[in-house]
Amino acid sequence: MKVSIPALGCANITVLPKLKGDNNKTVKTGPSGYYYQDVWRALDGTKVQQFNDSKAVSRCLKGKVVHMYGDSTIRQWFEHFVQSLPDLKEFDLKSSR
């Protein structure tokens, strides 16, 4: 494999100086991190709770409402929760279930 793929466009990137008035703009990123030894490590230092069984997840979510919006990754999480959490009450406005 190890074959270089040449760029089709220009090979240079020009970085321009900040424009006046851009000093207060910040860029916020979404959740980010990495898995190491089967544990999620958040890059922003957020403490992440690890659950070992479905009963612990159910206890944590008891009395809470979880809204899930997104793409196919969220759909996969949703299907995982429905399969692994027997106490889960599903309510989907876009489904006949």
Side-chain angles (χ1 to χ4, degrees), residues 60-73:
C60 177
L61 294 176
K62 185 176 182 174
K64 297 182 174 103
V65 176
V66 178
H67 297 269
M68 301 178 82
Y69 302 97
D71 57 10
S72 61
T73 304

Side-chain angles (χ1 to χ4, degrees), residues 34-67:
Y34 58 94
Y35 271 99
Y36 178 67
Q37 296 179 339
D38 292 329
V39 176
W40 178 257
R41 318 259 179 182
L43 289 179
D44 65 358
T46 302
K47 185 178 176 188
V48 178
Q49 177 67 42
Q50 182 83 19
F51 296 101
N52 297 323
D53 60 30
S54 63
K55 289 181 183 181
V57 176
S58 292
R59 283 193 303 271
C60 177
L61 294 176
K62 185 176 182 174
K64 297 182 174 103
V65 176
V66 178
H67 297 269

Side-chain angles (χ1 to χ4, degrees), residues 12-20 22-23:
N12 302 346
I13 297 175
T14 304
V15 178
L16 301 173
K18 282 186 178 181
L19 298 174
K20 284 186 178 181
D22 279 353
N23 295 340

